[in-house]
Amino acid sequence: MNWRFLLDENIDSFDRSFAGYALYRLESDSENVFEAFIEELKSGKQVWWAVTVINRFVEQSETFLQEILALLETPSTRLRGILALAYMGRLPDTELQEFLILLESSEKIVRFTAIDALSKLHDKSSKLHDKSEWLVQTCLSVLQNRRCSYEERYYAAKLLGELEITSEILIEELLTQLRDDNSTLQIEAAMAIGRLGKKVDWVISLLIQWIEQHQDSEFVGNGIDALWEIVEGKRILKSSLGYRRFTQIGGSNSKFKF
């Protein structure tokens, strides 16, 4: 595969992003592939894929990091450069407040990439360690806003599961996401509940109560998945797994006993 494929605007940018990621994994034409993804980041066509792949390159070369920093110098690329640096956990302190503005961007792809970047920034630097309460409230507001896309709510649920703070209102909102129309969001919400349930015992009580209230619902399997994540620590692959476990232990014809 030739890296010039990545510059062909007649080909869907999402396909080009997949191809670039494949080239990166093959360690083929890394410099040219990096430059192609810089162009994707500048155009804003595939922001999430661009920052994901660029992140890999910057881990290998300080030269690439300098090119990302150079994006801050141009008004048209500045915010996307800030987004990429946040995603890499390399955001300068002076740019933190401007990064947080991206959470309110008019571009959906920028908003959900910013939420995902919050997780990376929290993990890789200490900049947000004193803002855990703020992070929880930010993610909670995203989950509660039904006008937010499922991608935004997905990454908000993912980040909530990684934080050390939990509360009844937070768990109840994640339980609400178990009934969302999008199965990917259902799975991530179940995983978040599972991770939080390992930290505080009372989550299991709320979860069992939710399962009992939804025994006849098509979504009950998602609750079982969350419980399975707490008890067994198994990574959830499909929400239907929970339903199969549910039917194996008696389904709605039996009382739950955990």
Side-chain angles (χ1 to χ4, degrees):
M1 185 186 298
N2 192 299
W3 67 270
R4 296 182 186 280
F5 171 87
L6 304 178
L7 301 177
D8 188 347
E9 294 190 358
N10 294 318
I11 299 172
D12 181 78
S13 60
F14 194 72
D15 293 337
R16 284 186 280 146
S17 295
F18 267 111
Y21 188 69
L23 285 172
Y24 154 71
R25 294 301 297 270
L26 293 170
E27 298 182 350
S28 174
D29 288 322
S30 61
E31 186 170 343
N32 289 321
V33 173
F34 174 81
E35 293 297 340
F37 272 96
I38 286 287
E39 292 304 314
E40 286 288 297
L41 186 60
K42 289 178 180 177
S43 71
K45 293 178 181 177
Q46 287 295 338
V47 175
W48 187 86
W49 272 107
V51 296
T52 299
V53 179
I54 286 171
N55 184 24
R56 307 286 184 173
F57 285 110
V58 173
E59 289 175 357
Q60 299 175 354
S61 171
E62 196 70 18
T63 301
F64 292 148
L65 175 61
Q66 295 307 311
E67 290 204 43
I68 295 291
L69 288 169
L71 296 178
L72 304 186
E73 305 303 319
T74 304
S76 62
T77 60
R78 176 175 171 77
L79 287 178
R80 293 194 181 100
I82 287 174
L83 183 59
L85 289 168
Y87 197 88
M88 293 180 280
R90 307 289 289 270
L91 186 69
D93 291 341
T94 54
E95 314 298 344
L96 180 58
Q97 289 304 315
E98 198 162 354
F99 162 69
L100 298 179
I101 294 173
L102 293 172
L103 293 168
E104 301 176 0
S105 170
S106 60
E107 299 178 62
K108 181 184 75 173
I109 193 169
V110 173
R111 291 196 306 272
F112 77 70
T113 307
I115 295 170
D116 190 24
L118 278 175
S119 174
K120 305 293 188 299
L121 191 58
H122 183 267
D123 290 342
K124 296 181 180 180
S125 80
S126 60
K127 291 180 176 63
L128 295 178
H129 287 183
D130 61 344
K131 294 182 179 291
S132 292
E133 288 280 3
W134 175 84
L135 286 173
V136 168
Q137 291 305 314
T138 298
C139 292
L140 196 55
S141 66
V142 170
L143 288 180
Q144 292 171 335
N145 185 354
R146 293 301 179 263
R147 291 180 296 178
C148 288
S149 65
Y150 88 85
E151 294 101 334
E152 293 170 78
R153 288 182 286 133
Y154 169 90
Y155 285 113
K158 181 174 180 289
L159 179 53
L160 284 171
E162 295 169 357
L163 297 174
E164 295 297 323
I165 298 175
T166 189
S167 65
E168 187 168 334
I169 188 171
L170 189 159
I171 296 299
E172 287 178 349
E173 188 55 47
L174 286 170
L175 288 170
T176 299
Q177 306 302 316
L178 297 182
R179 302 182 63 187
D180 192 83
D181 293 336
N182 185 274
S183 61
T184 303
L185 176 55
Q186 294 170 14
I187 294 171
E188 191 55 51
M191 291 182 67
I193 293 168
R195 287 190 290 264
L196 294 172
K198 294 173 184 176
K199 300 172 185 176
V200 286
D201 294 338
W202 55 262
V203 171
I204 290 182
S205 299
L206 272 182
L207 182 54
I208 291 176
Q209 182 180 4
W210 186 93
I211 291 170
E212 291 180 337
Q213 291 172 349
H214 295 82
Q215 289 190 46
D216 298 320
S217 166
E218 63 180 297
F219 301 108
V220 67
N222 297 326
I224 301 295
D225 277 341
L227 187 62
W228 197 261
E229 176 76 9
I230 296 172
V231 176
E232 297 291 337
K234 305 287 188 183
R235 181 172 176 82
I236 301 167
L237 299 178
K238 288 185 178 180
S239 58
S240 60
L241 291 177
Y243 184 75
R244 289 203 293 273
R245 296 183 192 117
F246 173 59
T247 55
Q248 287 167 4
I249 62 174
S252 59
N253 295 321
S254 66
K255 203 69 176 169
F256 285 95
K257 295 178 181 178
F258 299 105

